[in-house]
Amino acid sequence: MKFAYYPGCVAKGGAPELYKSVNACLGPLGIEVEELHGAACTGAGVLTERNPELADTLNARTFAMAERLGLPILTICSTCTGTMYASHERLKDDAYRARINEHLADEGLEYRGTTEIYHLMWILVEKIGLDKVRSLVKRPLNGLRIAPFYGCYIVRPSRLVDPEHQKRDTYLEQIIAHLGADAVDYSGKTKCCGFPITTMNRRNALKLTGRNIAEAKDQGADLMVTPCPLCHLNLDGQQIDAARVIGRSLDVPILHLPQLLGLAFGLSPEELGLRHHIVTPRTVLQKFLAGAAV
Amino acid sequence: MKVTLRVKRYDPERDRSPRWQEYTVEVEDYATVLDALIKVREEIDESLALRCSCRSHICGSCAMRINQKGGLACKTKLAEVAGDGGTVVVEPAGNLPVVKDLVVDLVPFFDKVRAVDPYLQPAGPPPEREYIASNEDMENVKGAMACILCGACVSDCTVLEVDPDFLGPAALAKAWRFVADPRDAADEERLGALSERNGIWDCTHCFMCVEVCPKDVKPMERILDLRRRAMEAGFKNNNGSRHSDAFVETIRESGRLDETKVAIRSTSGLGELLSWSGVGLRSFLHGKVPLSHKPIPGAEHVRKIFDKLETKAGEAQ
Ligand code: SF4
Ligand code: SF4
Ligand code: FES
């Protein structure tokens, strides 16, 4: 299975552990990739709200690069995925796509409208299959209680990101169960991490962050897992500040989806970049994964 | 078809806290959640409080949370949310005070709608006959005029959960409806007021309101459009605009987002920047702050696209 790999800006910036852990999991999962080094930022919705045509042009440029390779796109970020999907939808209009293609002509690129986009989370369920994922588990995560946290863009608007009603907003729970752990149910799982308003209204952003983590913790979560590095920036990177704002201790480690996979596949903490976490998962993992040397 | 309604009940005058009560009823396959609730009230428990009027998704009275999601009880088919023998969880709308059971107090909701001056403010002497707007313009505002003020969006808005002062999706969609109306002449005042705290820049872009609105008003899209219009009208002395400018600038420069630069440029000044020093330092110590920000290969092509399209947008203003 081969994909045109679009890691996004954060995996190559503030969340290096995401990039590392994806690389470490590709082999075991049997995924081959060709990274789209020349692809630009999706605009993460910010560009779209300002200038939709510009955002769609940058995304069409990425789609054209993948199309030229004849490969579907692999994403590892909820926000990249949702933003690409929105552009992808608008670019289905032939006349609009022709106009956007005029902006790409200088570079010799053209998007014909055939590129497909898959987040790693979708690939695990829809392309690889959960039974196969289970068969790769070397260190079952038995006893761990894990709270899923999706990130807005990968679950809403559902008619855009789940057009075939595959219940993509239950995939994390399914993956958690197939790795041997228990999924924690709580209402915050599809809510907002607060990241988008972090510079506009930090207090509200941190309250959102804190509230979601607190709810997961109160439902018994040992750790949380997210397919979105922007959520991770708030849930992990700003958890200490969030705890202060909501006035209670949190201390819930947040793993990226491929880190969770990697742990179950028996990969080492170094390969998964666990040292980059602000809230260290060490204690929790030592407790549950005897012999994991984390 | 047999369904069980698991209803959150609460009478602030008598109960110390909300409680759950289950009712099982036999209904037609095509029945809605509202049909079943009315049946419960008529045949099983007359003390169950709910509000409805039109029963055909017009009046906006029956918004509530059905299986954790805001929506109209009269528009939601039981077959879709429960199925034969299934259970459906029914709660009052969120983010509004409960009067009793499924009835919430809409006063705070309408206060916010009123706060955006939801009426046309044309300039100059009135025309002899009516104010004329082009068909195209009215097509544009029609989507937001479809709002039936039901409050489903407010029920599920994530920001309202942590900040009751946020104007919220319904009021902001209403504000957009007048800003986008060519007959209204108060755009400047409106956009200025909306750029203040609790306004357009406090929305987290979570799509919750878009997801639940029974009339496809897409409040979030309206809010994003208000941001664009406010920036174009020059209301830029706020972190939202600074963030937007910085974000766009770093992509123009290198093809990819430079989080550190965006964070620094988005703040209002040194004091605010210092409040970030803890996060910055912790991230740095964990190897999360890239020491250099490399442009993508072919960044010059991205810059050309920006030059062409950002200028075009500028000219259009
Ligand atoms: S998109 Fe904005 S207005 Fe809509 S529900 Fe989310 S935070 Fe509220
Ligand atoms: S925008 Fe939609 S959900 Fe919100 S009040 Fe209007 S009709 Fe109801
Ligand atoms: S009863 Fe009027 S909208 Fe439901």
Side-chain angles (χ1 to χ4, degrees):
Chain A
M1 208 177 306
K2 194 166 178 187
F3 291 90
Y5 180 29
Y6 181 87
C9 307
V10 185
K12 304 222 94 173
E17 70 282 2
L18 173 59
Y19 190 68
K20 281 184 199 171
S21 56
V22 170
N23 277 344
C25 287
L26 292 177
L29 288 170
I31 296 178
E32 266 185 86
V33 295
E34 184 132 351
E35 186 170 332
L36 296 171
H37 291 283
C41 175
T42 63
V46 177
L47 214 53
T48 315
E49 83 186 27
R50 209 178 145 105
N51 186 336
E53 188 170 346
L54 177 54
D56 290 342
T57 305
L58 295 189
N59 287 318
R61 182 172 170 272
T62 304
F63 302 160
M65 290 175 174
E67 195 172 58
R68 188 179 270 179
L69 296 170
L71 298 172
I73 292 177
L74 157 65
T75 59
I76 52 170
C77 167
S78 297
T79 307
C80 292
T81 312
T83 309
M84 280 188 177
Y85 253 59
S87 286
H88 192 261
E89 189 64 25
R90 286 188 289 268
L91 288 163
K92 282 181 181 160
D93 183 289
D94 290 338
Y96 183 60
R97 200 173 59 249
R99 189 166 100 213
I100 298 291
N101 273 329
E102 286 172 22
H103 310 320
L104 299 178
D106 267 358
E107 202 178 344
L109 283 169
E110 187 199 350
Y111 176 48
R112 283 176 283 116
T114 66
T115 301
E116 292 179 354
I117 306 148
Y118 293 95
H119 188 286
L120 175 65
M121 179 177 83
W122 297 341
I123 293 174
L124 292 173
V125 178
E126 295 164 14
K127 303 273 163 195
I128 296 177
L130 289 169
D131 289 332
K132 173 80 197 296
V133 172
R134 193 199 331 246
S135 75
L136 298 169
V137 173
K138 297 216 176 82
R139 185 163 54 199
L141 307 179
N142 293 341
L144 263 178
R145 293 178 50 80
I146 303 174
F149 193 88
Y150 284 89
C152 301
Y153 284 80
I154 207 166
V155 286
R156 284 183 298 273
S158 55
R159 69 183 147 189
L160 178 69
V161 287
D162 192 7
E164 287 164 49
H165 308 290
Q166 289 161 291
K167 291 204 176 290
R168 284 173 158 178
D169 58 354
T170 63
Y171 282 9
L172 282 179
E173 286 93 321
Q174 297 180 42
I175 294 166
I176 291 168
H178 281 78
L179 299 177
D182 296 319
V184 171
D185 190 27
Y186 68 115
S187 73
K189 68 184 178 193
T190 52
K191 287 186 183 165
C192 177
C193 69
F195 183 79
I197 50 167
T198 210
T199 60
M200 289 85 145
N201 188 332
R202 182 124 183 262
R203 208 180 148 72
N204 281 359
L206 293 175
K207 276 195 199 166
L208 287 166
T209 311
R211 189 184 168 91
N212 291 320
I213 303 172
E215 195 196 351
K217 189 181 169 107
D218 291 344
Q219 295 303 314
D222 301 306
L223 45 84
M224 294 170 74
V225 65
T226 180
C228 182
L230 292 171
C231 293
H232 196 271
L233 285 181
N234 256 36
L235 296 173
D236 177 58
Q238 299 214 67
Q239 188 176 128
I240 294 171
D241 311 79
R244 202 164 35 230
V245 167
I246 64 164
R248 60 168 285 183
S249 79
L250 293 171
D251 202 18
V252 180
I254 318 290
L255 295 184
H256 296 282
L257 176 60
Q259 290 181 311
L260 192 72
L261 290 177
L263 281 171
F265 295 170
L267 301 175
S268 73
E270 292 76 48
E271 286 171 289
L272 301 175
L274 292 180
R275 73 175 177 88
H276 292 291
H277 289 240
I278 307 291
V279 181
T280 175
R282 202 177 299 124
T283 327
V284 174
L285 297 180
Q286 265 164 358
K287 189 166 135 204
F288 286 95
L289 309 178
V294 281
Chain B
M1 180 171 77
K2 196 183 224 154
V3 290
T4 300
L5 300 169
R6 192 171 146 72
V7 183
K8 192 177 204 174
R9 303 206 53 193
Y10 181 47
D11 180 351
E13 287 176 11
R14 299 171 54 169
D15 306 334
R16 228 176 287 140
S17 56
R19 62 197 157 89
W20 292 97
Q21 190 161 350
E22 289 192 2
Y23 305 98
T24 301
V25 282
E26 187 68 40
V27 290
E28 300 291 349
D29 289 354
Y30 52 75
T32 64
V33 173
L34 183 62
D35 293 332
L37 286 168
I38 291 174
K39 191 159 179 175
V40 168
R41 193 178 59 183
E42 281 175 358
E43 295 174 12
I44 307 176
D45 185 348
E46 60 183 17
S47 74
L48 178 67
L50 60 110
R51 180 164 44 207
C52 64
S53 175
C54 72
R55 303 185 195 192
S56 42
H57 23 113
I58 296 169
C59 73
S61 313
C62 68
M64 53 187 74
R65 267 192 184 152
I66 300 158
N67 287 347
Q68 277 105 43
K69 204 172 152 182
L72 298 176
C74 71
K75 199 185 175 198
T76 311
K77 292 264 195 299
L78 280 164
E80 279 158 27
V81 288
D84 193 13
T87 299
V88 49
V89 180
V90 186
E91 299 165 80
N95 294 324
L96 289 164
V98 175
V99 176
K100 191 184 171 209
D101 298 338
L102 300 173
V103 179
V104 293
D105 184 0
L106 287 169
V107 169
F109 174 89
F110 283 106
D111 281 349
K112 285 179 184 170
V113 174
R114 275 190 210 102
V116 304
D117 297 335
Y119 41 84
L120 214 54
Q121 299 178 331
E128 232 163 74
R129 298 173 70 104
E130 66 271 79
Y131 287 97
I132 312 269
S134 76
N135 218 10
E136 196 185 311
D137 285 331
M138 288 323 280
E139 282 297 328
N140 184 30
V141 290
K142 210 169 73 180
M145 287 166 72
C147 172
I148 55 171
L149 298 168
C150 69
C153 54
V154 162
S155 161
D156 285 25
C157 172
T158 49
V159 169
L160 283 170
E161 283 186 18
V162 297
D163 186 353
D165 293 331
F166 174 46
L167 272 173
L172 289 170
K174 188 58 77 190
W176 180 89
R177 180 247 169 278
F178 290 100
V179 169
D181 192 313
R183 300 165 297 178
D184 190 85
D187 289 6
E188 284 271 322
E189 295 78 11
R190 293 184 191 275
L191 291 169
L194 295 169
S195 299
E196 299 291 323
R197 210 166 181 79
N198 303 324
I200 47 180
W201 293 106
D202 278 22
C203 160
T204 65
H205 202 291
C206 74
F207 294 99
M208 216 49 113
C209 51
V210 177
E211 183 77 16
V212 302
C213 173
K215 292 287 161 182
D216 203 20
V217 170
K218 302 192 182 79
M220 186 192 87
E221 309 274 336
R222 318 283 169 188
I223 296 170
L224 301 188
D225 191 57
L226 286 170
R227 289 181 179 178
R228 176 160 55 228
R229 289 170 190 257
M231 284 191 282
E232 284 174 8
F235 295 103
K236 299 195 78 164
N237 187 19
N238 51 60
N239 282 9
S241 304
R242 276 187 285 273
H243 175 263
S244 181
D245 283 346
F247 195 105
V248 169
E249 218 25 59
T250 73
I251 305 177
R252 179 208 285 273
E253 283 163 9
S254 63
R256 45 187 289 259
L257 179 63
D258 183 343
E259 303 140 52
T260 319
K261 215 182 246 180
V262 170
I264 293 172
R265 289 194 196 160
S266 302
T267 48
S268 55
L270 194 60
E272 193 187 346
L273 201 56
L274 283 175
S275 74
W276 280 89
S277 54
V279 183
L281 184 66
R282 280 194 293 274
S283 304
F284 178 74
L285 292 176
H286 285 84
K288 292 175 82 76
V289 181
L291 296 174
S292 67
H293 179 82
K294 284 200 210 78
I296 58 168
E300 66 280 5
H301 296 294
V302 171
R303 211 167 306 132
K304 269 193 210 150
I305 293 172
F306 267 82
D307 288 342
K308 185 169 170 193
L309 292 173
E310 278 278 278
T311 338
K312 205 169 129 191
E315 280 163 7
Q317 278 170 40

Short mmCIF file of all heavy atoms in Angstrom, two decimals, chain A residues 178-214:
data_model
loop_
_atom_site.label_atom_id
_atom_site.label_comp_id
_atom_site.label_asym_id
_atom_site.label_seq_id
_atom_site.Cartn_x
_atom_site.Cartn_y
_atom_site.Cartn_z
N HIS A 178 -8.79 -2.78 19.69
CA HIS A 178 -8.01 -3.79 18.98
C HIS A 178 -6.56 -3.83 19.41
O HIS A 178 -5.83 -4.75 19.07
CB HIS A 178 -8.13 -3.60 17.46
CG HIS A 178 -9.42 -4.15 16.93
ND1 HIS A 178 -10.61 -3.47 17.05
CD2 HIS A 178 -9.71 -5.32 16.31
CE1 HIS A 178 -11.57 -4.20 16.52
NE2 HIS A 178 -11.06 -5.33 16.05
N LEU A 179 -6.11 -2.82 20.15
CA LEU A 179 -4.75 -2.85 20.69
C LEU A 179 -4.75 -3.45 22.10
O LEU A 179 -3.72 -3.51 22.76
CB LEU A 179 -4.15 -1.43 20.72
CG LEU A 179 -4.02 -0.72 19.37
CD1 LEU A 179 -3.47 0.69 19.55
CD2 LEU A 179 -3.14 -1.50 18.40
N GLY A 180 -5.93 -3.83 22.57
CA GLY A 180 -6.01 -4.50 23.86
C GLY A 180 -6.39 -3.60 25.02
O GLY A 180 -6.53 -4.05 26.15
N ALA A 181 -6.55 -2.30 24.75
CA ALA A 181 -6.87 -1.36 25.84
C ALA A 181 -8.38 -1.11 25.91
O ALA A 181 -9.14 -1.57 25.06
CB ALA A 181 -6.12 -0.06 25.63
N ASP A 182 -8.79 -0.36 26.94
CA ASP A 182 -10.20 -0.01 27.08
C ASP A 182 -10.40 1.45 26.69
O ASP A 182 -9.66 2.32 27.18
CB ASP A 182 -10.66 -0.18 28.53
CG ASP A 182 -10.59 -1.62 28.97
OD1 ASP A 182 -10.96 -2.49 28.16
OD2 ASP A 182 -10.14 -1.88 30.10
N ALA A 183 -11.40 1.72 25.85
CA ALA A 183 -11.69 3.10 25.48
C ALA A 183 -12.60 3.74 26.53
O ALA A 183 -13.58 3.15 26.94
CB ALA A 183 -12.35 3.14 24.12
N VAL A 184 -12.23 4.93 26.95
CA VAL A 184 -13.03 5.66 27.93
C VAL A 184 -14.06 6.50 27.19
O VAL A 184 -13.73 7.20 26.23
CB VAL A 184 -12.11 6.60 28.76
CG1 VAL A 184 -12.94 7.53 29.64
CG2 VAL A 184 -11.15 5.77 29.59
N ASP A 185 -15.32 6.42 27.60
CA ASP A 185 -16.36 7.20 26.97
C ASP A 185 -16.58 8.49 27.76
O ASP A 185 -16.73 8.44 28.98
CB ASP A 185 -17.66 6.39 26.91
CG ASP A 185 -18.70 7.07 26.03
OD1 ASP A 185 -18.28 7.83 25.12
OD2 ASP A 185 -19.90 6.87 26.24
N TYR A 186 -16.58 9.61 27.10
CA TYR A 186 -16.84 10.90 27.77
C TYR A 186 -17.26 11.90 26.70
O TYR A 186 -16.93 11.73 25.52
CB TYR A 186 -15.59 11.37 28.52
CG TYR A 186 -14.44 11.77 27.64
CD1 TYR A 186 -13.98 13.08 27.62
CD2 TYR A 186 -13.82 10.85 26.81
CE1 TYR A 186 -12.94 13.47 26.79
CE2 TYR A 186 -12.77 11.23 25.98
CZ TYR A 186 -12.34 12.54 25.98
OH TYR A 186 -11.32 12.91 25.14
N SER A 187 -18.01 12.93 27.10
CA SER A 187 -18.61 13.79 26.08
C SER A 187 -17.59 14.67 25.37
O SER A 187 -17.83 15.16 24.27
CB SER A 187 -19.71 14.65 26.70
OG SER A 187 -19.13 15.66 27.51
N GLY A 188 -16.42 14.87 25.99
CA GLY A 188 -15.43 15.76 25.38
C GLY A 188 -14.72 15.20 24.16
O GLY A 188 -14.01 15.93 23.47
N LYS A 189 -14.93 13.93 23.86
CA LYS A 189 -14.07 13.30 22.84
C LYS A 189 -14.15 13.95 21.46
O LYS A 189 -13.18 13.91 20.71
CB LYS A 189 -14.36 11.80 22.75
CG LYS A 189 -15.72 11.47 22.21
CD LYS A 189 -15.97 9.97 22.24
CE LYS A 189 -17.38 9.70 21.73
NZ LYS A 189 -17.82 8.34 22.00
N THR A 190 -15.30 14.52 21.12
CA THR A 190 -15.39 15.17 19.81
C THR A 190 -15.51 16.69 19.94
O THR A 190 -15.90 17.39 19.02
CB THR A 190 -16.60 14.65 19.01
OG1 THR A 190 -17.76 14.74 19.84
CG2 THR A 190 -16.40 13.21 18.58
N LYS A 191 -15.18 17.20 21.13
CA LYS A 191 -15.27 18.66 21.31
C LYS A 191 -13.96 19.34 20.90
O LYS A 191 -13.05 18.71 20.39
CB LYS A 191 -15.64 18.97 22.75
CG LYS A 191 -17.11 18.65 23.03
CD LYS A 191 -17.51 19.10 24.41
CE LYS A 191 -18.96 18.68 24.66
NZ LYS A 191 -19.28 18.78 26.09
N CYS A 192 -13.88 20.63 21.20
CA CYS A 192 -12.74 21.42 20.74
C CYS A 192 -11.65 21.49 21.81
O CYS A 192 -11.94 21.70 22.99
CB CYS A 192 -13.23 22.82 20.39
SG CYS A 192 -11.89 23.91 19.91
N CYS A 193 -10.40 21.35 21.37
CA CYS A 193 -9.26 21.39 22.29
C CYS A 193 -8.93 22.81 22.72
O CYS A 193 -8.16 23.03 23.63
CB CYS A 193 -8.03 20.78 21.62
SG CYS A 193 -7.42 21.83 20.26
N GLY A 194 -9.49 23.79 22.01
CA GLY A 194 -9.23 25.19 22.35
C GLY A 194 -8.12 25.84 21.54
O GLY A 194 -7.97 27.06 21.54
N PHE A 195 -7.36 25.05 20.80
CA PHE A 195 -6.20 25.58 20.10
C PHE A 195 -6.49 26.78 19.18
O PHE A 195 -5.75 27.76 19.21
CB PHE A 195 -5.49 24.47 19.30
CG PHE A 195 -4.24 24.95 18.63
CD1 PHE A 195 -3.07 25.10 19.35
CD2 PHE A 195 -4.25 25.32 17.29
CE1 PHE A 195 -1.93 25.59 18.74
CE2 PHE A 195 -3.11 25.80 16.67
CZ PHE A 195 -1.95 25.94 17.40
N PRO A 196 -7.58 26.72 18.39
CA PRO A 196 -7.76 27.82 17.43
C PRO A 196 -7.88 29.21 18.07
O PRO A 196 -7.63 30.20 17.40
CB PRO A 196 -9.06 27.44 16.71
CG PRO A 196 -9.16 25.97 16.88
CD PRO A 196 -8.58 25.66 18.22
N ILE A 197 -8.29 29.30 19.33
CA ILE A 197 -8.39 30.65 19.91
C ILE A 197 -7.29 30.88 20.94
O ILE A 197 -7.39 31.78 21.78
CB ILE A 197 -9.78 30.92 20.55
CG1 ILE A 197 -10.20 29.78 21.50
CG2 ILE A 197 -10.82 31.16 19.49
CD1 ILE A 197 -11.39 30.13 22.37
N THR A 198 -6.23 30.11 20.84
CA THR A 198 -5.23 30.18 21.88
C THR A 198 -4.55 31.55 21.94
O THR A 198 -4.19 32.02 23.01
CB THR A 198 -4.25 28.99 21.74
OG1 THR A 198 -3.76 28.65 23.00
CG2 THR A 198 -3.12 29.27 20.82
N THR A 199 -4.41 32.22 20.79
CA THR A 199 -3.84 33.57 20.86
C THR A 199 -4.93 34.65 20.96
O THR A 199 -4.64 35.78 21.30
CB THR A 199 -2.95 33.90 19.65
OG1 THR A 199 -3.74 33.81 18.47
CG2 THR A 199 -1.77 32.95 19.54
N MET A 200 -6.18 34.29 20.65
CA MET A 200 -7.25 35.29 20.68
C MET A 200 -7.86 35.42 22.08
O MET A 200 -8.20 36.50 22.51
CB MET A 200 -8.38 34.94 19.72
CG MET A 200 -8.03 35.09 18.26
SD MET A 200 -7.23 33.60 17.68
CE MET A 200 -7.83 33.52 16.01
N ASN A 201 -8.05 34.29 22.72
CA ASN A 201 -8.68 34.31 24.04
C ASN A 201 -8.09 33.12 24.82
O ASN A 201 -8.69 32.05 24.89
CB ASN A 201 -10.20 34.20 23.91
CG ASN A 201 -10.91 34.41 25.22
OD1 ASN A 201 -10.36 34.14 26.30
ND2 ASN A 201 -12.13 34.91 25.16
N ARG A 202 -6.92 33.35 25.35
CA ARG A 202 -6.16 32.25 25.93
C ARG A 202 -6.91 31.59 27.07
O ARG A 202 -6.86 30.38 27.26
CB ARG A 202 -4.80 32.79 26.42
CG ARG A 202 -3.90 31.75 27.01
CD ARG A 202 -2.57 31.73 26.32
NE ARG A 202 -1.74 30.66 26.85
CZ ARG A 202 -0.80 30.84 27.77
NH1 ARG A 202 -0.58 32.06 28.25
NH2 ARG A 202 -0.10 29.82 28.19
N ARG A 203 -7.60 32.41 27.86
CA ARG A 203 -8.31 31.87 29.01
C ARG A 203 -9.38 30.86 28.58
O ARG A 203 -9.46 29.76 29.11
CB ARG A 203 -8.94 33.03 29.79
CG ARG A 203 -9.10 32.74 31.23
CD ARG A 203 -9.72 33.88 32.00
NE ARG A 203 -10.50 33.30 33.09
CZ ARG A 203 -9.95 32.74 34.16
NH1 ARG A 203 -8.65 32.70 34.29
NH2 ARG A 203 -10.70 32.20 35.09
N ASN A 204 -10.17 31.25 27.59
CA ASN A 204 -11.19 30.32 27.10
C ASN A 204 -10.55 29.07 26.49
O ASN A 204 -11.03 27.96 26.68
CB ASN A 204 -12.08 30.99 26.06
CG ASN A 204 -13.15 31.89 26.68
OD1 ASN A 204 -13.23 31.98 27.91
ND2 ASN A 204 -13.93 32.55 25.87
N ALA A 205 -9.46 29.29 25.75
CA ALA A 205 -8.79 28.15 25.11
C ALA A 205 -8.33 27.16 26.18
O ALA A 205 -8.56 25.95 26.07
CB ALA A 205 -7.59 28.64 24.29
N LEU A 206 -7.72 27.68 27.24
CA LEU A 206 -7.22 26.79 28.28
C LEU A 206 -8.35 26.15 29.07
O LEU A 206 -8.23 25.01 29.53
CB LEU A 206 -6.27 27.55 29.21
CG LEU A 206 -4.95 28.00 28.56
CD1 LEU A 206 -4.14 28.84 29.52
CD2 LEU A 206 -4.14 26.80 28.07
N LYS A 207 -9.46 26.88 29.21
CA LYS A 207 -10.60 26.26 29.90
C LYS A 207 -11.12 25.07 29.10
O LYS A 207 -11.48 24.04 29.65
CB LYS A 207 -11.73 27.29 30.05
CG LYS A 207 -11.59 28.18 31.25
CD LYS A 207 -12.94 28.87 31.46
CE LYS A 207 -12.81 30.09 32.31
NZ LYS A 207 -14.02 30.92 32.25
N LEU A 208 -11.17 25.24 27.77
CA LEU A 208 -11.62 24.13 26.92
C LEU A 208 -10.67 22.94 27.05
O LEU A 208 -11.08 21.80 27.23
CB LEU A 208 -11.71 24.57 25.46
CG LEU A 208 -12.86 25.51 25.11
CD1 LEU A 208 -12.65 26.14 23.74
CD2 LEU A 208 -14.19 24.77 25.13
N THR A 209 -9.37 23.24 26.97
CA THR A 209 -8.36 22.20 27.10
C THR A 209 -8.54 21.47 28.43
O THR A 209 -8.63 20.23 28.47
CB THR A 209 -6.94 22.83 27.08
OG1 THR A 209 -6.85 23.72 25.98
CG2 THR A 209 -5.86 21.77 26.98
N GLY A 210 -8.58 22.24 29.49
CA GLY A 210 -8.64 21.67 30.84
C GLY A 210 -9.91 20.87 31.07
O GLY A 210 -9.89 19.78 31.64
N ARG A 211 -11.01 21.41 30.59
CA ARG A 211 -12.29 20.75 30.79
C ARG A 211 -12.33 19.36 30.15
O ARG A 211 -12.80 18.39 30.75
CB ARG A 211 -13.34 21.67 30.14
CG ARG A 211 -14.76 21.34 30.36
CD ARG A 211 -15.56 22.34 29.53
NE ARG A 211 -16.94 21.95 29.45
CZ ARG A 211 -17.87 22.36 30.31
NH1 ARG A 211 -17.55 23.15 31.29
NH2 ARG A 211 -19.11 21.95 30.17
N ASN A 212 -11.82 19.28 28.93
CA ASN A 212 -11.81 17.98 28.24
C ASN A 212 -10.92 16.97 28.95
O ASN A 212 -11.30 15.81 29.13
CB ASN A 212 -11.35 18.15 26.79
CG ASN A 212 -12.36 18.91 25.95
OD1 ASN A 212 -13.56 18.69 26.08
ND2 ASN A 212 -11.89 19.82 25.12
N ILE A 213 -9.74 17.42 29.36
CA ILE A 213 -8.82 16.49 30.04
C ILE A 213 -9.42 16.06 31.38
O ILE A 213 -9.38 14.88 31.74
CB ILE A 213 -7.43 17.13 30.25
CG1 ILE A 213 -6.84 17.58 28.91
CG2 ILE A 213 -6.47 16.14 30.94
CD1 ILE A 213 -5.57 18.40 29.02
N ALA A 214 -9.98 17.03 32.10
CA ALA A 214 -10.55 16.72 33.42
C ALA A 214 -11.68 15.70 33.29
O ALA A 214 -11.77 14.76 34.09
CB ALA A 214 -11.06 18.00 34.07
#
